[in-house]
Amino acid sequence: MLLRRRATSKIALAVAALLAPTLLGTTATAAPATGPGSSVAAPATSSLTWQGCGGDIPATVECATLKVPLDHRKPGGKKIDVSLSRIKAADPAERRGVLLFNPGGPSSSGLFYPLALSGLLPQSVKDRYDLIGFDPRGVGASSPLACGTTTADERLTYRPYKDATFAKDVAWARDIADRCRNRNKETLRHITTRNTARDMDLIRAALGERRISYFGLSYGTYLGSVYTQLFPNRVDRFVLDSAVDPKRVWRGMGQAWAEQAETAFGRWTDWTARHSARYGLGDTPAEVEGLFWDIVARADREPLDLGGTRFDGAEVREYIRWEITHPSVAARTLGLLRDAAAGKPVPAFPTFVPTDNELASYLAIVCGDTRWPTAPAVYRADSRRDGVRYPLYGDSVSNILPCAYWDHPIEAATKIDNKVPALIVQNEWDSQTPLVTALGLRRALKGSRLVTVDEGQGHGVYSLGISACADDVATRYLTTGRLPARDVTCAADPLPAADSRSASPSPAAAAPARLPFSGR
């Protein structure tokens, strides 16, 4: 859920690059089911035309395009494309239905997510479901948005607050909002989570399914919960991994990152001090913390040369914020930062700059789902306060965004309050969608169950080698439909030994390798 730092596997990138230009097949608009909070009329149903995806994509993957209304209140009006992929159930005799995927973001492409996950999902799940990937409206191959942004605009979407630069931040936010509005006059206000959920129901109808099952990660948990609210009778088995609190969308979720990053930072400095013989970064948590903040101050005075890319203090803070849930990775990174601050050459640090489409589609959802404060003074005051409360990241997430100058949402955000069954899985020490936000979703989905991985680290749980116990619960639910009788706490699997990797790899080599998708 952040537009700078990404952990993306080579397979996901390669598949996306190959498939995106070669999608084939179109269809008329499919009929949505109506449900509470939905005012969508029902146009005529039509089947999808599936074809090979082209390039080097395996023949087991098929592609199609679904035409959906830009404005679901006007089903006969302008149409946009939603691009789909499918891997058919491996065992037709065991087939239950379809399993849709969303890998998060908002702005992540999900078109090839099933292929990227195909080596990780248990065979029992692949036997029972057609795996359906799709790019949400405005993303990737689905009538993509563009705002005309540049690398300079995109490198840090969440900017550190400073009195001296706040006026520039305000001007930047207004300029980005204006560019997005001017380039997407007809479409921008219709790129919302509620409309993507409606598109999901059109996908369901076009596939000829009475209900859908779903696996959503991070932002995908919010999209899935909105679907349960709009179309409760169309829900089969929903797994929501690393959960967003629907009451915190969206500014409150960003501020939750800052709150939880402080807790994670404290755990990390303690761990690093206990392993001082290996890393030499300080014998006490206070020494590790002091070294880190000394490096940040040094980078603020003069950006560090990290393998040819300059990082200022804010970028150093953000980099560590992502890594501290993987203590050994963050410790190695701090050692490299110390070397760079001393003028020693270090390997290149990847910068993970988002594309124009990623930034545009991210802002469309984050700014278009809910109303944001419009007065710059609110952002100034909040950034000053949160910079003191949460020094690692509080000033950045409370600073002004283009959302301050966005058009008002086309409709109110969805209030999630239902008894639809679902399974929520969550790492205890995830600082991106922290446990407190998963508890918020659990309260909103009263028919759900929560699986918490005790001392689980990182962002994402299911099929990622985090907890065999949590995987078993989720797989059993997907294959049998049985939810646990009550919420469950699972143990995390043992982490790899601290000496299982080279002592000083490059940051790219040291980065957590658990995520086979573009995670936010």
Side-chain angles (χ1 to χ4, degrees), residues 184-214:
N184 305 280
K185 293 182 185 294
E186 289 186 76
T187 60
L188 191 61
R189 296 185 71 201
H190 299 286
I191 309 299
T192 65
T193 299
R194 284 173 67 89
N195 280 336
T196 301
R198 290 168 177 141
D199 294 343
M200 284 172 55
D201 205 56
L202 298 183
I203 294 170
R204 175 204 58 77
L207 292 169
E209 299 290 334
R210 188 170 62 88
R211 296 173 181 267
I212 56 170
S213 294
Y214 175 79

PDB file of all heavy atoms in Angstrom, residues 184-214:
ATOM      1  N   ASN A 184      -8.071  12.939 -17.365  1.00  0.00           N
ATOM      2  CA  ASN A 184      -9.046  11.862 -17.206  1.00  0.00           C
ATOM      3  C   ASN A 184     -10.418  12.422 -16.841  1.00  0.00           C
ATOM      4  O   ASN A 184     -11.059  11.973 -15.887  1.00  0.00           O
ATOM      5  CB  ASN A 184      -8.575  10.890 -16.114  1.00  0.00           C
ATOM      6  CG  ASN A 184      -7.187  10.351 -16.361  1.00  0.00           C
ATOM      7  OD1 ASN A 184      -6.984   9.437 -17.136  1.00  0.00           O
ATOM      8  ND2 ASN A 184      -6.202  10.944 -15.688  1.00  0.00           N
ATOM      9  N   LYS A 185     -10.848  13.401 -17.595  1.00  0.00           N
ATOM     10  CA  LYS A 185     -12.059  14.137 -17.237  1.00  0.00           C
ATOM     11  C   LYS A 185     -13.271  13.229 -17.072  1.00  0.00           C
ATOM     12  O   LYS A 185     -14.043  13.378 -16.136  1.00  0.00           O
ATOM     13  CB  LYS A 185     -12.354  15.211 -18.298  1.00  0.00           C
ATOM     14  CG  LYS A 185     -11.336  16.340 -18.347  1.00  0.00           C
ATOM     15  CD  LYS A 185     -11.731  17.378 -19.380  1.00  0.00           C
ATOM     16  CE  LYS A 185     -10.664  18.450 -19.526  1.00  0.00           C
ATOM     17  NZ  LYS A 185     -10.506  19.257 -18.318  1.00  0.00           N
ATOM     18  N   GLU A 186     -13.433  12.268 -17.985  1.00  0.00           N
ATOM     19  CA  GLU A 186     -14.620  11.410 -17.942  1.00  0.00           C
ATOM     20  C   GLU A 186     -14.485  10.269 -16.953  1.00  0.00           C
ATOM     21  O   GLU A 186     -15.474   9.819 -16.372  1.00  0.00           O
ATOM     22  CB  GLU A 186     -14.888  10.814 -19.333  1.00  0.00           C
ATOM     23  CG  GLU A 186     -15.386  11.787 -20.377  1.00  0.00           C
ATOM     24  CD  GLU A 186     -15.758  11.035 -21.650  1.00  0.00           C
ATOM     25  OE1 GLU A 186     -16.831  10.395 -21.665  1.00  0.00           O
ATOM     26  OE2 GLU A 186     -14.970  11.084 -22.603  1.00  0.00           O
ATOM     27  N   THR A 187     -13.274   9.784 -16.752  1.00  0.00           N
ATOM     28  CA  THR A 187     -13.114   8.508 -16.063  1.00  0.00           C
ATOM     29  C   THR A 187     -12.724   8.598 -14.599  1.00  0.00           C
ATOM     30  O   THR A 187     -13.067   7.718 -13.811  1.00  0.00           O
ATOM     31  CB  THR A 187     -12.053   7.657 -16.782  1.00  0.00           C
ATOM     32  OG1 THR A 187     -10.805   8.374 -16.780  1.00  0.00           O
ATOM     33  CG2 THR A 187     -12.464   7.377 -18.215  1.00  0.00           C
ATOM     34  N   LEU A 188     -11.997   9.631 -14.203  1.00  0.00           N
ATOM     35  CA  LEU A 188     -11.299   9.618 -12.920  1.00  0.00           C
ATOM     36  C   LEU A 188     -12.222   9.344 -11.741  1.00  0.00           C
ATOM     37  O   LEU A 188     -11.916   8.519 -10.869  1.00  0.00           O
ATOM     38  CB  LEU A 188     -10.565  10.946 -12.717  1.00  0.00           C
ATOM     39  CG  LEU A 188      -9.572  10.989 -11.554  1.00  0.00           C
ATOM     40  CD1 LEU A 188      -8.468   9.973 -11.751  1.00  0.00           C
ATOM     41  CD2 LEU A 188      -8.984  12.393 -11.419  1.00  0.00           C
ATOM     42  N   ARG A 189     -13.371   9.995 -11.691  1.00  0.00           N
ATOM     43  CA  ARG A 189     -14.244   9.864 -10.525  1.00  0.00           C
ATOM     44  C   ARG A 189     -14.931   8.501 -10.455  1.00  0.00           C
ATOM     45  O   ARG A 189     -15.537   8.170  -9.439  1.00  0.00           O
ATOM     46  CB  ARG A 189     -15.294  10.979 -10.522  1.00  0.00           C
ATOM     47  CG  ARG A 189     -14.705  12.375 -10.370  1.00  0.00           C
ATOM     48  CD  ARG A 189     -15.797  13.407 -10.261  1.00  0.00           C
ATOM     49  NE  ARG A 189     -16.492  13.321  -8.998  1.00  0.00           N
ATOM     50  CZ  ARG A 189     -17.711  13.807  -8.765  1.00  0.00           C
ATOM     51  NH1 ARG A 189     -18.386  14.361  -9.755  1.00  0.00           N
ATOM     52  NH2 ARG A 189     -18.265  13.706  -7.587  1.00  0.00           N
ATOM     53  N   HIS A 190     -14.820   7.723 -11.528  1.00  0.00           N
ATOM     54  CA  HIS A 190     -15.458   6.409 -11.535  1.00  0.00           C
ATOM     55  C   HIS A 190     -14.475   5.280 -11.200  1.00  0.00           C
ATOM     56  O   HIS A 190     -14.869   4.116 -11.182  1.00  0.00           O
ATOM     57  CB  HIS A 190     -16.098   6.141 -12.903  1.00  0.00           C
ATOM     58  CG  HIS A 190     -17.173   7.135 -13.247  1.00  0.00           C
ATOM     59  ND1 HIS A 190     -18.413   7.126 -12.650  1.00  0.00           N
ATOM     60  CD2 HIS A 190     -17.170   8.186 -14.107  1.00  0.00           C
ATOM     61  CE1 HIS A 190     -19.146   8.115 -13.144  1.00  0.00           C
ATOM     62  NE2 HIS A 190     -18.409   8.774 -14.036  1.00  0.00           N
ATOM     63  N   ILE A 191     -13.220   5.621 -10.951  1.00  0.00           N
ATOM     64  CA  ILE A 191     -12.230   4.619 -10.540  1.00  0.00           C
ATOM     65  C   ILE A 191     -12.248   4.574  -9.016  1.00  0.00           C
ATOM     66  O   ILE A 191     -11.531   5.300  -8.330  1.00  0.00           O
ATOM     67  CB  ILE A 191     -10.821   4.946 -11.069  1.00  0.00           C
ATOM     68  CG1 ILE A 191     -10.865   5.208 -12.571  1.00  0.00           C
ATOM     69  CG2 ILE A 191      -9.857   3.819 -10.721  1.00  0.00           C
ATOM     70  CD1 ILE A 191     -11.342   4.030 -13.397  1.00  0.00           C
ATOM     71  N   THR A 192     -13.122   3.738  -8.476  1.00  0.00           N
ATOM     72  CA  THR A 192     -13.311   3.621  -7.030  1.00  0.00           C
ATOM     73  C   THR A 192     -13.394   2.156  -6.643  1.00  0.00           C
ATOM     74  O   THR A 192     -13.627   1.278  -7.485  1.00  0.00           O
ATOM     75  CB  THR A 192     -14.611   4.316  -6.581  1.00  0.00           C
ATOM     76  OG1 THR A 192     -15.735   3.618  -7.154  1.00  0.00           O
ATOM     77  CG2 THR A 192     -14.643   5.777  -6.996  1.00  0.00           C
ATOM     78  N   THR A 193     -13.230   1.896  -5.366  1.00  0.00           N
ATOM     79  CA  THR A 193     -13.335   0.522  -4.876  1.00  0.00           C
ATOM     80  C   THR A 193     -14.739  -0.024  -5.078  1.00  0.00           C
ATOM     81  O   THR A 193     -14.918  -1.191  -5.456  1.00  0.00           O
ATOM     82  CB  THR A 193     -12.941   0.456  -3.396  1.00  0.00           C
ATOM     83  OG1 THR A 193     -11.577   0.887  -3.248  1.00  0.00           O
ATOM     84  CG2 THR A 193     -13.069  -0.954  -2.856  1.00  0.00           C
ATOM     85  N   ARG A 194     -15.763   0.795  -4.833  1.00  0.00           N
ATOM     86  CA  ARG A 194     -17.131   0.331  -5.018  1.00  0.00           C
ATOM     87  C   ARG A 194     -17.372  -0.101  -6.468  1.00  0.00           C
ATOM     88  O   ARG A 194     -17.999  -1.142  -6.722  1.00  0.00           O
ATOM     89  CB  ARG A 194     -18.126   1.420  -4.624  1.00  0.00           C
ATOM     90  CG  ARG A 194     -18.290   1.588  -3.125  1.00  0.00           C
ATOM     91  CD  ARG A 194     -19.142   2.791  -2.782  1.00  0.00           C
ATOM     92  NE  ARG A 194     -20.531   2.650  -3.201  1.00  0.00           N
ATOM     93  CZ  ARG A 194     -21.503   2.105  -2.459  1.00  0.00           C
ATOM     94  NH1 ARG A 194     -21.232   1.626  -1.252  1.00  0.00           N
ATOM     95  NH2 ARG A 194     -22.746   2.033  -2.901  1.00  0.00           N
ATOM     96  N   ASN A 195     -16.856   0.659  -7.419  1.00  0.00           N
ATOM     97  CA  ASN A 195     -17.050   0.291  -8.812  1.00  0.00           C
ATOM     98  C   ASN A 195     -16.227  -0.932  -9.208  1.00  0.00           C
ATOM     99  O   ASN A 195     -16.655  -1.744 -10.036  1.00  0.00           O
ATOM    100  CB  ASN A 195     -16.743   1.472  -9.728  1.00  0.00           C
ATOM    101  CG  ASN A 195     -17.892   2.459  -9.809  1.00  0.00           C
ATOM    102  OD1 ASN A 195     -19.046   2.094  -9.576  1.00  0.00           O
ATOM    103  ND2 ASN A 195     -17.590   3.712 -10.124  1.00  0.00           N
ATOM    104  N   THR A 196     -15.044  -1.087  -8.628  1.00  0.00           N
ATOM    105  CA  THR A 196     -14.274  -2.306  -8.892  1.00  0.00           C
ATOM    106  C   THR A 196     -15.000  -3.528  -8.340  1.00  0.00           C
ATOM    107  O   THR A 196     -15.006  -4.593  -8.965  1.00  0.00           O
ATOM    108  CB  THR A 196     -12.864  -2.193  -8.285  1.00  0.00           C
ATOM    109  OG1 THR A 196     -12.190  -1.071  -8.856  1.00  0.00           O
ATOM    110  CG2 THR A 196     -12.051  -3.447  -8.558  1.00  0.00           C
ATOM    111  N   ALA A 197     -15.629  -3.381  -7.171  1.00  0.00           N
ATOM    112  CA  ALA A 197     -16.421  -4.485  -6.625  1.00  0.00           C
ATOM    113  C   ALA A 197     -17.584  -4.822  -7.551  1.00  0.00           C
ATOM    114  O   ALA A 197     -17.919  -5.999  -7.761  1.00  0.00           O
ATOM    115  CB  ALA A 197     -16.932  -4.130  -5.230  1.00  0.00           C
ATOM    116  N   ARG A 198     -18.205  -3.808  -8.123  1.00  0.00           N
ATOM    117  CA  ARG A 198     -19.283  -4.056  -9.095  1.00  0.00           C
ATOM    118  C   ARG A 198     -18.750  -4.756 -10.343  1.00  0.00           C
ATOM    119  O   ARG A 198     -19.407  -5.633 -10.896  1.00  0.00           O
ATOM    120  CB  ARG A 198     -19.952  -2.733  -9.452  1.00  0.00           C
ATOM    121  CG  ARG A 198     -20.763  -2.148  -8.303  1.00  0.00           C
ATOM    122  CD  ARG A 198     -21.170  -0.720  -8.577  1.00  0.00           C
ATOM    123  NE  ARG A 198     -22.013  -0.187  -7.508  1.00  0.00           N
ATOM    124  CZ  ARG A 198     -21.946   1.047  -7.038  1.00  0.00           C
ATOM    125  NH1 ARG A 198     -21.052   1.901  -7.547  1.00  0.00           N
ATOM    126  NH2 ARG A 198     -22.749   1.443  -6.070  1.00  0.00           N
ATOM    127  N   ASP A 199     -17.536  -4.359 -10.762  1.00  0.00           N
ATOM    128  CA  ASP A 199     -16.914  -5.056 -11.889  1.00  0.00           C
ATOM    129  C   ASP A 199     -16.695  -6.531 -11.557  1.00  0.00           C
ATOM    130  O   ASP A 199     -16.864  -7.408 -12.420  1.00  0.00           O
ATOM    131  CB  ASP A 199     -15.568  -4.423 -12.246  1.00  0.00           C
ATOM    132  CG  ASP A 199     -15.691  -3.014 -12.791  1.00  0.00           C
ATOM    133  OD1 ASP A 199     -16.795  -2.617 -13.210  1.00  0.00           O
ATOM    134  OD2 ASP A 199     -14.661  -2.307 -12.800  1.00  0.00           O
ATOM    135  N   MET A 200     -16.301  -6.820 -10.327  1.00  0.00           N
ATOM    136  CA  MET A 200     -16.128  -8.208  -9.919  1.00  0.00           C
ATOM    137  C   MET A 200     -17.422  -8.994 -10.086  1.00  0.00           C
ATOM    138  O   MET A 200     -17.407 -10.168 -10.471  1.00  0.00           O
ATOM    139  CB  MET A 200     -15.658  -8.285  -8.469  1.00  0.00           C
ATOM    140  CG  MET A 200     -14.199  -7.943  -8.249  1.00  0.00           C
ATOM    141  SD  MET A 200     -13.761  -7.838  -6.484  1.00  0.00           S
ATOM    142  CE  MET A 200     -14.300  -9.427  -5.866  1.00  0.00           C
ATOM    143  N   ASP A 201     -18.539  -8.354  -9.800  1.00  0.00           N
ATOM    144  CA  ASP A 201     -19.792  -9.077  -9.955  1.00  0.00           C
ATOM    145  C   ASP A 201     -20.156  -9.261 -11.421  1.00  0.00           C
ATOM    146  O   ASP A 201     -20.793 -10.252 -11.791  1.00  0.00           O
ATOM    147  CB  ASP A 201     -20.917  -8.379  -9.203  1.00  0.00           C
ATOM    148  CG  ASP A 201     -22.020  -9.363  -8.837  1.00  0.00           C
ATOM    149  OD1 ASP A 201     -21.704 -10.367  -8.166  1.00  0.00           O
ATOM    150  OD2 ASP A 201     -23.172  -9.161  -9.252  1.00  0.00           O
ATOM    151  N   LEU A 202     -19.745  -8.326 -12.258  1.00  0.00           N
ATOM    152  CA  LEU A 202     -19.912  -8.529 -13.698  1.00  0.00           C
ATOM    153  C   LEU A 202     -19.043  -9.685 -14.178  1.00  0.00           C
ATOM    154  O   LEU A 202     -19.446 -10.463 -15.052  1.00  0.00           O
ATOM    155  CB  LEU A 202     -19.551  -7.257 -14.454  1.00  0.00           C
ATOM    156  CG  LEU A 202     -20.388  -6.010 -14.170  1.00  0.00           C
ATOM    157  CD1 LEU A 202     -19.925  -4.862 -15.057  1.00  0.00           C
ATOM    158  CD2 LEU A 202     -21.865  -6.270 -14.377  1.00  0.00           C
ATOM    159  N   ILE A 203     -17.836  -9.803 -13.629  1.00  0.00           N
ATOM    160  CA  ILE A 203     -16.975 -10.931 -13.960  1.00  0.00           C
ATOM    161  C   ILE A 203     -17.657 -12.231 -13.559  1.00  0.00           C
ATOM    162  O   ILE A 203     -17.688 -13.206 -14.317  1.00  0.00           O
ATOM    163  CB  ILE A 203     -15.598 -10.783 -13.271  1.00  0.00           C
ATOM    164  CG1 ILE A 203     -14.838  -9.584 -13.833  1.00  0.00           C
ATOM    165  CG2 ILE A 203     -14.782 -12.062 -13.419  1.00  0.00           C
ATOM    166  CD1 ILE A 203     -13.583  -9.230 -13.054  1.00  0.00           C
ATOM    167  N   ARG A 204     -18.217 -12.247 -12.364  1.00  0.00           N
ATOM    168  CA  ARG A 204     -18.939 -13.437 -11.895  1.00  0.00           C
ATOM    169  C   ARG A 204     -20.028 -13.841 -12.881  1.00  0.00           C
ATOM    170  O   ARG A 204     -20.141 -15.016 -13.270  1.00  0.00           O
ATOM    171  CB  ARG A 204     -19.556 -13.177 -10.519  1.00  0.00           C
ATOM    172  CG  ARG A 204     -20.432 -14.327 -10.016  1.00  0.00           C
ATOM    173  CD  ARG A 204     -21.445 -13.857  -8.999  1.00  0.00           C
ATOM    174  NE  ARG A 204     -22.322 -12.818  -9.529  1.00  0.00           N
ATOM    175  CZ  ARG A 204     -23.350 -13.037 -10.353  1.00  0.00           C
ATOM    176  NH1 ARG A 204     -23.622 -14.254 -10.783  1.00  0.00           N
ATOM    177  NH2 ARG A 204     -24.084 -12.028 -10.769  1.00  0.00           N
ATOM    178  N   ALA A 205     -20.824 -12.855 -13.276  1.00  0.00           N
ATOM    179  CA  ALA A 205     -21.928 -13.164 -14.187  1.00  0.00           C
ATOM    180  C   ALA A 205     -21.416 -13.634 -15.548  1.00  0.00           C
ATOM    181  O   ALA A 205     -21.960 -14.575 -16.135  1.00  0.00           O
ATOM    182  CB  ALA A 205     -22.818 -11.932 -14.345  1.00  0.00           C
ATOM    183  N   ALA A 206     -20.378 -12.978 -16.064  1.00  0.00           N
ATOM    184  CA  ALA A 206     -19.837 -13.361 -17.363  1.00  0.00           C
ATOM    185  C   ALA A 206     -19.244 -14.760 -17.340  1.00  0.00           C
ATOM    186  O   ALA A 206     -19.228 -15.460 -18.355  1.00  0.00           O
ATOM    187  CB  ALA A 206     -18.781 -12.349 -17.798  1.00  0.00           C
ATOM    188  N   LEU A 207     -18.751 -15.170 -16.167  1.00  0.00           N
ATOM    189  CA  LEU A 207     -18.213 -16.521 -16.028  1.00  0.00           C
ATOM    190  C   LEU A 207     -19.317 -17.558 -15.840  1.00  0.00           C
ATOM    191  O   LEU A 207     -19.035 -18.762 -15.801  1.00  0.00           O
ATOM    192  CB  LEU A 207     -17.252 -16.575 -14.838  1.00  0.00           C
ATOM    193  CG  LEU A 207     -15.939 -15.795 -15.001  1.00  0.00           C
ATOM    194  CD1 LEU A 207     -15.206 -15.709 -13.668  1.00  0.00           C
ATOM    195  CD2 LEU A 207     -15.055 -16.429 -16.060  1.00  0.00           C
ATOM    196  N   GLY A 208     -20.542 -17.088 -15.680  1.00  0.00           N
ATOM    197  CA  GLY A 208     -21.662 -18.002 -15.509  1.00  0.00           C
ATOM    198  C   GLY A 208     -21.737 -18.623 -14.130  1.00  0.00           C
ATOM    199  O   GLY A 208     -22.314 -19.702 -13.962  1.00  0.00           O
ATOM    200  N   GLU A 209     -21.208 -17.930 -13.124  1.00  0.00           N
ATOM    201  CA  GLU A 209     -21.170 -18.456 -11.765  1.00  0.00           C
ATOM    202  C   GLU A 209     -22.232 -17.790 -10.891  1.00  0.00           C
ATOM    203  O   GLU A 209     -22.445 -16.583 -10.976  1.00  0.00           O
ATOM    204  CB  GLU A 209     -19.790 -18.222 -11.140  1.00  0.00           C
ATOM    205  CG  GLU A 209     -18.649 -18.884 -11.871  1.00  0.00           C
ATOM    206  CD  GLU A 209     -18.655 -20.402 -11.746  1.00  0.00           C
ATOM    207  OE1 GLU A 209     -19.195 -20.913 -10.741  1.00  0.00           O
ATOM    208  OE2 GLU A 209     -18.116 -21.070 -12.653  1.00  0.00           O
ATOM    209  N   ARG A 210     -22.863 -18.582 -10.042  1.00  0.00           N
ATOM    210  CA  ARG A 210     -23.840 -18.038  -9.106  1.00  0.00           C
ATOM    211  C   ARG A 210     -23.147 -17.303  -7.964  1.00  0.00           C
ATOM    212  O   ARG A 210     -23.649 -16.306  -7.445  1.00  0.00           O
ATOM    213  CB  ARG A 210     -24.718 -19.157  -8.555  1.00  0.00           C
ATOM    214  CG  ARG A 210     -25.905 -18.684  -7.720  1.00  0.00           C
ATOM    215  CD  ARG A 210     -26.851 -19.831  -7.433  1.00  0.00           C
ATOM    216  NE  ARG A 210     -26.207 -20.886  -6.644  1.00  0.00           N
ATOM    217  CZ  ARG A 210     -26.179 -20.879  -5.306  1.00  0.00           C
ATOM    218  NH1 ARG A 210     -26.720 -19.887  -4.617  1.00  0.00           N
ATOM    219  NH2 ARG A 210     -25.593 -21.864  -4.660  1.00  0.00           N
ATOM    220  N   ARG A 211     -21.988 -17.795  -7.550  1.00  0.00           N
ATOM    221  CA  ARG A 211     -21.198 -17.182  -6.486  1.00  0.00           C
ATOM    222  C   ARG A 211     -19.725 -17.186  -6.894  1.00  0.00           C
ATOM    223  O   ARG A 211     -19.327 -17.941  -7.783  1.00  0.00           O
ATOM    224  CB  ARG A 211     -21.347 -17.956  -5.169  1.00  0.00           C
ATOM    225  CG  ARG A 211     -22.749 -17.963  -4.573  1.00  0.00           C
ATOM    226  CD  ARG A 211     -22.799 -18.909  -3.379  1.00  0.00           C
ATOM    227  NE  ARG A 211     -24.124 -18.977  -2.791  1.00  0.00           N
ATOM    228  CZ  ARG A 211     -24.550 -18.238  -1.779  1.00  0.00           C
ATOM    229  NH1 ARG A 211     -23.726 -17.354  -1.222  1.00  0.00           N
ATOM    230  NH2 ARG A 211     -25.768 -18.365  -1.293  1.00  0.00           N
ATOM    231  N   ILE A 212     -18.938 -16.369  -6.204  1.00  0.00           N
ATOM    232  CA  ILE A 212     -17.498 -16.386  -6.424  1.00  0.00           C
ATOM    233  C   ILE A 212     -16.773 -16.591  -5.103  1.00  0.00           C
ATOM    234  O   ILE A 212     -17.240 -16.168  -4.037  1.00  0.00           O
ATOM    235  CB  ILE A 212     -16.972 -15.098  -7.093  1.00  0.00           C
ATOM    236  CG1 ILE A 212     -17.357 -13.855  -6.276  1.00  0.00           C
ATOM    237  CG2 ILE A 212     -17.438 -14.997  -8.525  1.00  0.00           C
ATOM    238  CD1 ILE A 212     -16.672 -12.586  -6.752  1.00  0.00           C
ATOM    239  N   SER A 213     -15.615 -17.241  -5.191  1.00  0.00           N
ATOM    240  CA  SER A 213     -14.658 -17.261  -4.093  1.00  0.00           C
ATOM    241  C   SER A 213     -13.554 -16.268  -4.430  1.00  0.00           C
ATOM    242  O   SER A 213     -13.390 -15.857  -5.587  1.00  0.00           O
ATOM    243  CB  SER A 213     -14.105 -18.662  -3.874  1.00  0.00           C
ATOM    244  OG  SER A 213     -15.130 -19.532  -3.426  1.00  0.00           O
ATOM    245  N   TYR A 214     -12.761 -15.909  -3.419  1.00  0.00           N
ATOM    246  CA  TYR A 214     -11.884 -14.741  -3.598  1.00  0.00           C
ATOM    247  C   TYR A 214     -10.709 -14.846  -2.634  1.00  0.00           C
ATOM    248  O   TYR A 214     -10.858 -15.275  -1.482  1.00  0.00           O
ATOM    249  CB  TYR A 214     -12.700 -13.489  -3.303  1.00  0.00           C
ATOM    250  CG  TYR A 214     -11.945 -12.171  -3.324  1.00  0.00           C
ATOM    251  CD1 TYR A 214     -11.635 -11.533  -4.519  1.00  0.00           C
ATOM    252  CD2 TYR A 214     -11.577 -11.554  -2.133  1.00  0.00           C
ATOM    253  CE1 TYR A 214     -10.970 -10.309  -4.531  1.00  0.00           C
ATOM    254  CE2 TYR A 214     -10.909 -10.332  -2.133  1.00  0.00           C
ATOM    255  CZ  TYR A 214     -10.607  -9.715  -3.329  1.00  0.00           C
ATOM    256  OH  TYR A 214      -9.956  -8.503  -3.328  1.00  0.00           O
TER     257      TYR A 214
END
